[in-house]
Amino acid sequence: MSGTAPRPRVLITTGQTWRASPLRRREACTGRNYADALVRVGLLPTLAPCLTAELAAEALARQDGLVLSGGGDLDPAHFGQAPHPELEEVDPERDALELALYREARAAGLPILAICRGLQVVNVAEGGTLHQHLPSVAGLHQHAQAAPDGDPAHRVRLTQGPLAEAFDAREVRVNSYHHQGIDRLAPSLLPWAHADDGLVEAAGAAAGAALIGVQWHPEMSFARHPAQAAPFRAFAAALGT
């Protein structure tokens, strides 16, 4: 609008799926709710298909920030492990692009918001490892809730960083839709939240541009649970809105 400052532009990564009819083709896809949440806090989202990793720098050239969205499993080869028997489908093209986008965004000093799989991508890119299948890890509670509505399922304790400030709380309830999770947190990252069972639920950068990673899906719940807009507000604040 005339007289209004332009919204900061942010790139959202997507997954790939096969569409069988009416044309058989590979489609880029992610939830509309990511874009809705970003628009709500004053940002302008653009979706990135699974381009080749060599295009990562160009894809970010006119962007002000990066959102690494949720999705399927990372290939455990990226953190030096053989596939667990319960590993789900992996996408080598998506892995390669998101790892490249993350590194380019960090090098360029762009703020990053990483959600669920996105946080796992960040941890692996920084040299950390993942639990490939949380139900096989003793002592953890359920992290793959059956209810599809995005309502909160368990508690997390916020310990430090901009998320605690954005939520203005030390404990919040969040939803949970992941069967993988952080095992060894990369040394360059700080743990910002833990579930009651000790699993890292949020992390950020110890230095450099803003990096906000959450293991839950705030885009699925912010419309009915306004407190869950907090990660998006923190990201927008890092972009100057």
Side-chain angles (χ1 to χ4, degrees):
M1 255 189 314
S2 177
T4 302
R7 293 171 178 256
R9 295 177 176 269
V10 294
L11 193 70
I12 309 176
T13 61
T14 65
Q16 301 186 95
T17 186
W18 280 107
R19 177 172 176 169
S21 64
L23 299 174
R24 181 168 172 78
R25 66 186 183 190
R26 199 153 186 142
E27 296 193 332
C29 59
T30 196
R32 158 78 183 266
N33 43 22
Y34 288 101
D36 292 342
L38 293 165
V39 169
R40 177 77 64 90
V41 296
L43 306 177
L44 183 63
T46 300
L47 299 183
C50 286
L51 306 167
T52 62
E54 289 76 15
L55 293 174
E58 289 183 71
L60 288 169
R62 295 175 180 83
Q63 302 294 324
D64 301 300
L66 172 67
V67 176
L68 296 169
S69 65
D73 293 354
L74 272 79
D75 187 333
H78 292 299
F79 47 97
Q81 295 182 11
H84 187 281
E86 298 296 330
L87 182 72
E88 297 178 0
E89 182 179 2
V90 298
D91 184 340
E93 292 178 337
R94 182 176 185 180
D95 287 355
L97 176 63
E98 289 188 335
L99 289 166
L101 284 171
Y102 172 74
R103 291 173 177 131
E104 290 288 347
R106 290 297 286 166
L110 299 181
I112 297 170
L113 175 62
I115 293 175
C116 199
R117 169 193 160 94
L119 174 58
Q120 297 165 15
V121 169
V122 168
N123 189 51
V124 169
E126 292 289 344
T129 63
L130 304 178
H131 292 298
Q132 293 187 51
H133 188 57
L134 294 176
S136 69
V137 181
L140 297 186
H141 61 57
Q142 186 193 66
H143 285 272
Q145 70 188 71
D149 54 15
D151 283 346
H154 68 75
R155 179 175 63 175
V156 300
R157 299 177 185 272
L158 300 162
T159 55
Q160 59 181 314
L163 279 181
E165 297 174 12
F167 276 106
D168 192 24
R170 290 295 178 177
E171 294 182 1
V172 296
R173 286 180 58 81
V174 301
N175 58 34
S176 196
Y177 292 98
H178 58 107
H179 87 111
Q180 296 195 321
I182 291 176
D183 180 8
R184 183 177 62 81
L185 186 66
S188 57
L189 301 177
L190 298 173
W192 287 351
H194 292 85
D196 287 342
D197 58 14
L199 193 72
V200 174
E201 288 278 339
L211 169 59
I212 301 164
V214 297
Q215 186 59 76
W216 64 94
H217 282 270
E219 82 286 355
M220 292 179 63
S221 55
F222 80 95
R224 288 182 297 117
H225 302 275
Q228 286 298 322
F232 298 101
R233 291 197 303 269
F235 181 52
L239 286 160
T241 62

